[in-house]
């Protein structure tokens, strides 16, 4: 990121600026380090400004290593979120550690490791709720059951 773009994004952290300027320090401490099990190459980013462009995301996250893909949310439910997929797991860890809480366009980024089992639980709960509604509607139409107890 050039400093002009960096300031346009509204970054206020001097620590982050120092990390962004020094690219060689990112490679240090990489060998012989064990990573926690939740660390992976895919980052889930929340609280993104709606006005941020894909190019700015590539500039911001690309500082920490080679990026395979960035998927930015564009629907009403997914706006302000993105998935950032790195080529290397260590680059993803560095980016997550450095950019979590980073100030961009009057927002603080929330950078998490993507955990598919947690995402699947949310999907499963919504599917179960849909099935329950279908069953209620079926019971209502077939048997005239409203689901509410009548008091006399």
């Amino acid at each position: 990121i050039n400093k002009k773009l960096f300031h346009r994004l509204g970054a206020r952290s001097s620590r982050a600026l120092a990390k962004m300027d020094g690219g060689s320090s990112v490679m240090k401490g990489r060998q012989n380090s064990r990573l926690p099990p939740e660390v992976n190459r895919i980052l889930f980013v929340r609280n993104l400004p709606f006005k941020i462009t894909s190019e700015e995301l590539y500039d911001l996250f690309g500082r920490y290593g080679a990026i395979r893909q960035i998927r930015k949310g564009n629907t009403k439910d997914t706006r302000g979120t993105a998935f950032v997929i790195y080529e290397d797991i260590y680059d993803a860890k560095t980016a997550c550690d450095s950019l979590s809480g980073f100030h961009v366009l009057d927002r603080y980024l929330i950078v998490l490791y993507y955990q598919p089992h947690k995402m699947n639980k949310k999907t499963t709960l919504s599917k179960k709720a849909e099935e329950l509604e279908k069953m209620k509607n079926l019971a209502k139409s077939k048997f005239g059951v409203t689901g509410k107890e009548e008091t006399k």
Side-chain angles (χ1 to χ4, degrees):
I1 280 184
N2 60 27
K3 288 188 179 185
K4 185 177 180 183
L5 175 63
F6 186 78
H7 289 293
R8 183 180 123 25
L9 291 175
R12 306 258 193 276
S13 172
S14 59
R15 181 188 73 161
L17 182 58
K19 285 184 181 181
M20 305 277 285
D21 285 341
S24 63
S25 64
V26 172
M27 298 296 285
K28 293 180 182 174
R30 198 174 195 163
Q31 280 71 23
N32 298 330
S33 63
R34 296 197 83 161
L35 297 173
E38 71 271 4
V39 174
N40 62 37
R41 296 179 317 122
I42 305 171
L43 300 179
F44 179 61
V45 185
R46 293 182 10 207
N47 204 31
L48 279 170
F50 294 161
K51 294 180 181 181
I52 197 164
T53 65
S54 297
E55 291 80 22
E56 291 171 337
L57 282 175
Y58 271 100
D59 286 343
L60 186 62
F61 284 91
R63 228 20 185 157
Y64 298 96
I67 294 175
R68 178 171 290 189
Q69 185 180 51
I70 291 182
R71 304 286 282 201
K72 192 173 129 185
N74 54 6
T75 65
K76 183 181 178 186
D77 294 338
T78 61
R79 282 181 63 183
T81 64
F83 287 97
V84 180
I85 304 168
Y86 280 91
E87 293 287 340
D88 185 41
I89 193 168
Y90 291 98
D91 295 338
K93 182 178 183 334
T94 305
C96 185
D97 293 344
S98 301
L99 293 176
S100 191
F102 191 74
H103 191 262
V104 177
L105 294 174
D106 294 331
R107 287 178 173 248
Y108 292 97
L109 298 182
I110 300 170
V111 183
L112 307 166
Y113 296 107
Y114 173 64
Q115 297 175 340
H117 61 277
K118 286 189 177 179
M119 295 289 186
N120 288 340
K121 283 182 185 177
K122 291 178 184 178
T123 306
T124 305
L125 285 176
S126 64
K127 284 183 182 178
K128 285 184 180 181
E130 287 176 18
E131 289 176 12
L132 183 61
E133 278 302 313
K134 286 180 185 177
M135 289 173 57
K136 283 181 182 179
N137 291 335
L138 181 67
K140 196 182 295 184
S141 65
K142 267 190 172 180
F143 307 110
V145 176
T146 62
K148 296 179 181 176
E149 236 181 87
E150 292 182 22
T151 55
K152 293 183 179 181

